[in-house]
Amino acid sequence: RLFVFIYFIFIFLSLEIIFRKEWILKKPIYFIQSLSRASLFSAVLSPFSPSSSFKMQSRTVLLSALLLCFVAVAPVTGTAMKGATINSFHAALPKNLKSRVDNLLSQMNLTVATRALDQLKKLTLNDPDHMRIDNEGMVFIVDDKPPTPTPQRRRALLKERIRVRRMTSGTNPTGFTARGIPIHHSKPGSPNVIFLDFDGHVITNTAWNTFYKVSSWNATSFSLDNNFGAFFDAERLAISRIWNRVAEDYSPFDVDVTTEPPATMTLTTAHLLVTRSRDFNGIVLPLATVSGGLAYTNVFGMSYYPKYRPAFAYYDMLSSQESYIGETSSHEVAHNLGLSHDGLQDSGYADSGSFDYAWAPIMGASYDATVTVFDKGSYPGANNFEDDLAIIASKLGYRADDFGNTFTTAFPLTFTSGAAFVTGIIERNTDRDVFSVTVSGRGVLSFTALPFQSLGLTPGGNLDLTANILNSLGAVVATFDSTSTTSAFLSVILPAAGTYYISLGNTGNNAIPVPYPSYGTIGQYDLSVTFTLSPTTTTTTTTTRTTTRTTTTTTPRTSTSTRTTTTPRATTTSTSTSTSTSTSTTTTTRTTTRTTTTPLTTTRTTTRTTTRTTTRPTTTTTRLTTTTRATTTTTRTTTITTTTTTTTTTTTTTTT
């Protein structure tokens, strides 16, 4: 239009010069003549001095007009050239987006069409069916509402909830707003904020109002019973759990996810409104009857950002499920940050059903997934390979590392009543959090590291943990990396006193039908550690050795008695001889006891018995009687035998 205006001016000037008239130039020339009298402009404006001919003055004006025309036409020409450079991009657009741009061009709105093409060039156009272009050339994305979970799926989710180890971080609010909304902050003081708004909002003077020609929406607050005047316990609990999920998704980054209204809505404050699909007056919010949420893309931090917020999560279109609302909230905020959909070659979304509900990308449809992650097209059939983490970090930055990665920067654990507890975050997929444990002796070291898991219908966590225990030389004592759980737990016997290290990191899972890598499995965890000294162990070996020595000393003691009796008929002689043996026995007993303290638990008993029997005569008595009658001699010998038994018993007992 400017070009056409200048073109007509140029025509009038040309006619004036040709016919030597003063229709237009007379007064401008007189004005310039007055300026030329000043010494500052005399050289530059000398052609307009009173002594110059009108023809010369007119030619000068004509040249000036041509210069002005060039200056005016240059931006238009530049735009046309820019349009030529993106012409091939325009021709390659998906059909629905190309028709929208063509419509803008047909309205002679080249600036808006160019802006739309610039916006589209920054996005991954893998899912055009969910993209829209407004009347100002800005792009927003409309997300489908999820299907209602089937009874079979609900039962499976409940079973999963029972099977998986759980923990919940930060569910206790720091306070409540005047309306009773629990106040949560994930990183107070951060310059970047994600405000989860559950308290309703009046939407006016935004691009949403302009595009849909609605001057104002009076959006409702979050409610499970359509009582918008107050929040009861179940609603407060749901708000806390929704916040938990979003805070987990963005925990690696420098951003404060909060439910408290910020004092100032800055250019780095994302506003996610959790509301009903119809406002208090029954007016349908933007595309609320066909979507679960929507948001402008790549507007966070821009000078015009206030015009393109809030983003929406329609809780009644999300079955009022806290897990669905939480996943949608993270998804829509990510659109504000510049992320596109993660899909499959034949689908706009990569949903959890595509991965057997084990996991799903947040920028897909992660409603029923056990693990949710930001991704970069790491699964088979992916149609979007943008680096989600790098894009988010370019807008928010990463959170500072909370614990060191090496032995020298390890965090020393302090035990209270034999236990230590730490909460941490794996901020990057290259991060290792290292903790040192100093023990005074042999004992059992046990730890459990639990990633964030919501107590809602689905876990909603991002982190999959792996762990090592190392000694002071850096040698690995034990390792845990399971494909059946995202937690990590170990219990090992430390052989001696010293310093040991627990190292935590993230991992992927290659054992499921559709594996996921370690790229996006980062987030929060709780670590609990215990150490128990082994009791003092005593092994007592008792050896009893008994030696019996018997010494027999025989002292012959002979007593002879002769008695003669004479009768008329015969003579009897009786001789008695008695021999006595005196025996002296000496017994020596020697007992040896040895006690050894060892760490082993063993009971060993050995009994050895030796019996030795020796028989020897000790006393002999001989009695001789002689009777002389018919010369008869009788000899009687009596032998008394004494048995001596020597027993040696050795008993060895080892007791732990």
Side-chain angles (χ1 to χ4, degrees):
R1 293 170 184 173
L2 180 61
F3 174 77
V4 172
F5 175 74
I6 295 175
Y7 179 74
F8 279 107
I9 293 294
F10 175 75
I11 295 297
F12 276 110
L13 291 175
S14 301
L15 292 174
E16 186 170 353
I17 292 172
I18 293 171
F19 295 101
R20 297 175 179 267
K21 301 295 183 182
E22 298 181 9
W23 299 326
I24 301 176
L25 297 180
K26 184 176 181 179
K27 290 184 178 180
I29 287 177
Y30 288 160
F31 173 72
I32 295 174
Q33 285 177 349
S34 66
L35 292 177
S36 68
R37 293 188 178 94
S39 59
L40 181 63
F41 297 99
S42 59
V44 179
L45 300 176
S46 58
F48 296 100
S49 62
S51 60
S52 300
S53 65
F54 179 78
K55 185 176 182 179
M56 181 180 291
Q57 295 170 354
S58 300
R59 286 176 178 173
T60 303
V61 172
L62 179 59
L63 292 175
S64 302
L66 290 174
L67 180 61
L68 181 62
C69 180
F70 173 77
V71 173
V73 170
V76 180
T77 305
T79 302
M81 292 176 64
K82 186 175 182 181
T85 60
I86 62 177
N87 185 52
S88 58
F89 174 75
H90 173 212
L93 284 174
K95 184 177 180 180
N96 68 319
L97 298 179
K98 185 175 184 300
S99 62
R100 176 59 178 157
V101 174
D102 289 342
N103 184 45
L104 294 172
L105 289 172
S106 67
Q107 299 173 11
M108 295 295 292
N109 201 338
L110 182 61
T111 302
V112 174
T114 303
R115 183 184 300 137
L117 290 171
D118 285 342
Q119 288 286 317
L120 293 172
K121 287 185 71 174
K122 298 174 184 177
L123 303 175
T124 302
L125 303 179
N126 60 321
D127 186 20
D129 292 341
H130 293 90
M131 292 182 175
R132 303 288 189 274
I133 302 173
D134 69 10
N135 292 333
E136 297 179 353
M138 298 298 289
V139 179
F140 63 93
I141 297 179
V142 182
D143 288 299
D144 296 340
K145 58 183 181 180
T148 302
T150 63
Q152 294 84 355
R153 179 60 189 148
R154 284 183 180 274
R155 286 194 293 271
L157 290 171
L158 290 173
K159 183 179 180 181
E160 174 70 12
R161 184 171 66 183
I162 295 172
R163 185 185 70 82
V164 178
R165 285 174 165 249
R166 300 293 172 133
M167 61 80 63
T168 303
S169 295
T171 52
N172 295 325
T174 58
F176 295 88
T177 67
R179 291 253 297 140
I181 295 175
I183 296 175
H184 295 281
H185 288 271
S186 65
K187 195 175 186 295
S190 172
N192 306 306
V193 175
I194 298 174
F195 172 41
L196 303 180
D197 188 354
F198 295 90
D199 202 15
H201 184 67
V202 176
I203 305 164
T204 187
N205 297 323
T206 70
W208 301 115
N209 301 96
T210 302
F211 186 52
Y212 288 101
K213 297 181 174 59
V214 177
S215 61
S216 177
W217 284 284
N218 188 9
T220 70
S221 58
F222 170 71
S223 178
L224 298 178
D225 61 354
N226 289 327
N227 176 11
F228 302 105
F231 295 90
F232 65 98
D233 290 344
E235 291 168 337
R236 292 192 185 99
L237 180 60
I239 289 172
S240 292
R241 289 179 174 176
I242 292 167
W243 170 84
N244 261 327
R245 290 173 179 271
V246 181
E248 163 68 1
D249 292 337
Y250 290 94
S251 61
F253 304 103
D254 183 12
V255 63
D256 180 23
V257 180
T258 181
T259 58
E260 185 176 24
T264 304
M265 298 286 285
T266 69
L267 297 180
T268 56
T269 301
H271 184 189
L272 189 283
L273 180 61
V274 179
T275 186
R276 194 177 62 175
S277 57
R278 292 179 181 269
D279 74 353
F280 277 116
N281 301 315
I283 303 174
V284 177
L285 272 71
L287 294 172
T289 58
V290 295
S291 69
L294 69 163
Y296 276 93
T297 185
N298 200 30
V299 291
F300 180 89
M302 302 298 182
S303 59
Y304 45 79
Y305 186 29
K307 187 176 180 179
Y308 297 96
R309 61 189 179 201
F312 297 94
Y314 301 126
Y315 68 82
D316 55 332
M317 296 291 104
L318 299 168
S319 303
S320 296
Q321 285 284 347
E322 62 195 47
S323 58
Y324 289 3
I325 299 169
E327 297 300 329
T328 299
S329 299
S330 293
H331 182 106
E332 302 305 335
V333 169
H335 281 320
N336 274 184
L337 293 167
L339 299 190
S340 300
H341 281 163
D342 289 338
L344 300 169
Q345 297 296 337
D346 57 350
S347 172
Y349 290 108
D351 60 25
S352 54
S354 306
F355 307 127
D356 196 30
Y357 299 101
W359 74 285
I362 293 170
M363 297 314 295
S366 55
Y367 298 118
D368 292 331
T370 302
V371 175
T372 63
V373 296
F374 288 111
D375 192 65
K376 62 172 183 178
S378 58
Y379 50 89
N383 64 0
N384 181 10
F385 301 95
E386 67 184 8
D387 191 333
D388 286 358
L389 296 179
I391 293 173
I392 297 174
S394 69
K395 303 292 179 65
L396 303 177
Y398 280 105
R399 183 189 289 253
D401 193 8
D402 51 358
F403 298 110
N405 299 348
T406 64
F407 285 2
T408 56
T409 59
F411 180 80
L413 293 177
T414 302
F415 288 85
T416 302
S417 301
F421 181 83
V422 174
T423 297
I425 299 174
I426 300 296
E427 296 90 3
R428 308 191 188 204
N429 48 33
T430 57
D431 184 27
R432 300 290 297 191
D433 284 359
V434 181
F435 305 90
S436 63
V437 179
T438 301
V439 299
S440 58
R442 177 186 174 85
V444 179
L445 177 68
S446 301
F447 75 83
T448 300
L450 299 176
F452 166 84
Q453 301 285 351
S454 172
L455 295 176
L457 190 61
T458 57
N462 300 43
L463 177 61
D464 190 347
L465 280 166
T466 181
N468 295 323
I469 295 179
L470 305 97
N471 62 21
S472 59
L473 300 177
V476 176
V477 176
T479 298
F480 185 93
D481 187 1
S482 174
T483 58
S484 61
T485 179
T486 57
S487 305
F489 37 89
L490 279 172
S491 183
V492 297
I493 297 176
L494 302 182
T499 299
Y500 298 84
Y501 299 90
I502 298 172
S503 175
L504 299 180
N506 71 310
T507 185
N509 192 332
N510 294 320
I512 54 180
V514 182
Y516 58 81
S518 61
Y519 168 82
T521 58
I522 52 180
Q524 305 170 91
Y525 65 86
D526 283 352
L527 172 66
S528 58
V529 184
T530 61
F531 178 74
T532 305
L533 276 171
S534 297
T536 302
T537 303
T538 303
T539 300
T540 303
T541 303
T542 303
T543 303
T544 302
R545 183 174 295 170
T546 303
T547 303
T548 303
R549 292 182 181 179
T550 304
T551 302
T552 304
T553 303
T554 303
T555 304
R557 191 175 177 184
T558 304
S559 176
T560 303
S561 175
T562 303
R563 185 179 179 181
T564 304
T565 303
T566 305
T567 62
R569 298 179 64 180
T571 301
T572 301
T573 301
S574 177
T575 303
S576 177
T577 302
S578 177
T579 302
S580 298
T581 302
S582 175
T583 302
S584 175
T585 302
T586 302
T587 302
T588 303
T589 301
R590 184 178 182 182
T591 302
T592 302
T593 301
R594 183 169 54 190
T595 301
T596 306
T597 301
T598 69
L600 300 178
T601 300
T602 308
T603 299
R604 182 177 174 183
T605 302
T606 303
T607 302
R608 184 175 180 183
T609 302
T610 303
T611 302
R612 180 179 296 169
T613 303
T614 303
T615 303
R616 65 179 64 179
T618 58
T619 303
T620 303
T621 302
T622 302
R623 187 174 182 179
L624 177 64
T625 302
T626 303
T627 302
T628 305
R629 176 183 287 178
T631 315
T632 300
T633 302
T634 301
T635 302
R636 180 181 297 167
T637 301
T638 302
T639 301
I640 300 175
T641 301
T642 301
T643 300
T644 301
T645 300
T646 301
T647 301
T648 302
T649 301
T650 302
T651 301
T652 302
T653 303
T654 303
T655 304
T656 301

